[in-house]
Amino acid sequence: MKNSFVELNGRQRAFALVDENSGRELVGPEYDMISPHLEPQKIVPESDDGVILVKGTLNGKNVVVISIEGKFQGGGIGEVSGAKIVAALEEALDDNKNGKTIYPIIILDTGGVRLQEANYGLLSISEIQNSVIALKKYVPVIGLVPGRVGSFGGMSITSAVLSYLITTKKARVALNGPEVIEQEAGVREFDSSDKDLIWNTLGTRQRVKTGIADELVEDDVETIKNAISEAIDQKKDAHRTDKADFYLTLLDKIDFSKPLTTEEYRKIFNETKAEKHEIPSAVSSDTPGDKSRGRLWFEKLTGIKNAKSEYPTVLAAEVDGKEYIAIVPDKNNRFPRVRNGEVGLQEGFVISKIVNKIVEEDKDKEVKRPIILIVDVPSQAYGYKEELIGIHIGLASSAAAYAKARQAGHPVIDFIPGDAVSGGFLAHGLQSNRMIALADKSITIQAMSKASAARITQRTIAELEEATKHVPAMAYDIFNYEKLGALYKLVHDVSSWDANDDAVKEVHELIDEAIASTKDQPTDLRFRYETPIAIESGRKATIKMREMVDDQWEK
Amino acid sequence: MEKLHFEYQNSTPVKKFAHVGVVASGDLEILVYPADGEKTTLDITTGSDGFEKVWQNVLDRFFARYPLNGKFIVHDFGATPGVVNLRLTQAMEALKDEK
């Protein structure tokens, strides 16, 4: 008889994966470390905030199982649950660095960012990705997506940075859920009531055939344990974020103005052989590009007039020893879903190639080239074909490239004159070690549009707006964002659409200061926990959770 | 969301911590600790407003049978009285487990 794994709750799952009597839970329910952000919104909390950490052995090997409870708030990642995951991964990283091998296993049953803690969710998820990428230098980081929720949103991006992904047929993996695509792009783009369409596109039976998941196993505890154990023993690694040439080749072949069935896509996927793509720098031209805050500041900071590039939505150029990268709108782009400056499939892969090349070129240099991200991204692209192909892999590729660059010692600096939203921000912005933002009312910084967030959390827009008054992480403006403590600097005397000479000079100086501030400093993301605002209020719960996990880790 | 508080005078001391349930739709979690003082206390956070009387009835009936003296924290996401009673019984079983 089979022992279902999917039917177990998050805690039972964590203990089911470790050898009998070897499991020890860290910061368990007895500590009642609830999220401080839910009750102010009249939402019932959970004592473990939906994440269970169990240290133990699997076939005698040291493991730490991180299990996300999909039944609590859809497995959404908030400040406390996110900090719990990051803290465990960082402890595992330290152990491995010190020669004590421990294998992290992450059970993903999650909708991604917990929309009730929006900006905390995004910060936490980027921090999880940073830790996973650092850990992969030592051990494989194995992911399990058992279902029923599956792995969505920012955590699907995380799934793509994991070494190896094991699933059952009861799960789905995608960046944007069908309801959100329908809300953002219309029912003709994706009909969220068409369950067959959803499962055929996002279900893991399709996903293992198209490089999004690696192994489909029966829903049985022993089978799943064996699959994980084997993945660890054989150091399995799909290198999912190192396939930019493959995906750029594949995208060259697809006409985005025509329909594409799941069968047709599988055929294209199987026939595609990676061809090398060169990404030339942006150059000046006679024709102005489509206006955006990102383009304005890219052109002003680099001095490149009417910048154009072979991949029109990605502007990148090296000026005075600094690489500037911006994502910009292109109203005639052949990918309809990125025409307003969204981060789509091509953008993620192109950026990853640019950044990986810089890292490679500077590999033996003592001083690494700074990378300046000009952030103006209204969101990730919402589209059926984007999901079918796996837009989350594209976003993960650029996020991973930025994280690796930072970890290798490159200063990675955000300059935020525009929007910084959701998956777009995770792909282009949230892996930086310093963020400079303009104090401008036009900036939106969030995890999801109000219409979609209201639909998913089953609230009215009025209720949602009420919640933003009580919880700064729920807000959509840069002034509330500052309260989270993640910013290096909020610039009050420069506005987003007015890049005059004085303003440009000031921003240049601030960028140089930010670069200087990274010298001899840690190359991870801890700066965000150490600002005065973070310590005082912004990341209080994060810091507390990190201390508790550290106390209970047992080194 | 509503916060409720109940107190009882019970005789059987809770000696260790126990935890059951998940804050899932139609479910709840119960945390049981040894009592802080003499009284048994229950602090309930529930997503369903206006059911104080129903809680009172379920708890009266449960404690009449099993007079556990402890500190209870309950996070409820719309569990029916039947589910509440089931989880309380499971918590009691968990307290009995020798480990």
Side-chain angles (χ1 to χ4, degrees), chain A residues 267-333:
Chain A
K267 191 160 175 282
I268 296 172
F269 180 87
N270 289 326
E271 285 168 4
T272 298
K273 299 244 170 348
E275 289 161 22
K276 200 152 171 49
H277 282 63
E278 292 297 332
I279 317 287
S281 292
V283 291
S284 59
S285 76
D286 297 331
T287 339
D290 294 315
K291 273 198 178 131
S292 73
R293 290 161 291 183
R295 170 177 282 278
L296 172 69
W297 283 95
F298 178 85
E299 292 178 352
K300 290 291 182 179
L301 289 170
T302 59
I304 301 172
K305 288 204 175 76
N306 300 326
K308 68 163 192 182
S309 92
E310 191 167 318
Y311 294 92
T313 52
V314 180
L315 302 178
E318 187 183 331
V319 177
D320 297 333
K322 284 172 275 197
E323 181 81 17
Y324 294 85
I325 306 176
I327 295 172
V328 294
D330 173 34
K331 62 174 185 278
N332 296 314
N333 198 273

Side-chain angles (χ1 to χ4, degrees), chain A residues 11 29-30 39 44 46-47, chain B residues 3 19 23 29 31 33 47 75:
Chain A
R11 180 161 287 100
E30 64 270 35
E39 287 189 22
V44 180
E46 184 165 274
S47 58
Chain B
K3 289 195 170 224
H19 173 258
V23 187
E29 70 167 348
L31 288 67
Y33 305 79
H75 297 132

Side-chain angles (χ1 to χ4, degrees), chain A residues 255-274:
Chain A
D255 182 346
F256 268 64
S257 64
K258 294 203 175 115
L260 179 67
T261 67
T262 51
E263 296 79 21
E264 283 162 357
Y265 175 63
R266 281 209 299 268
K267 191 160 175 282
I268 296 172
F269 180 87
N270 289 326
E271 285 168 4
T272 298
K273 299 244 170 348

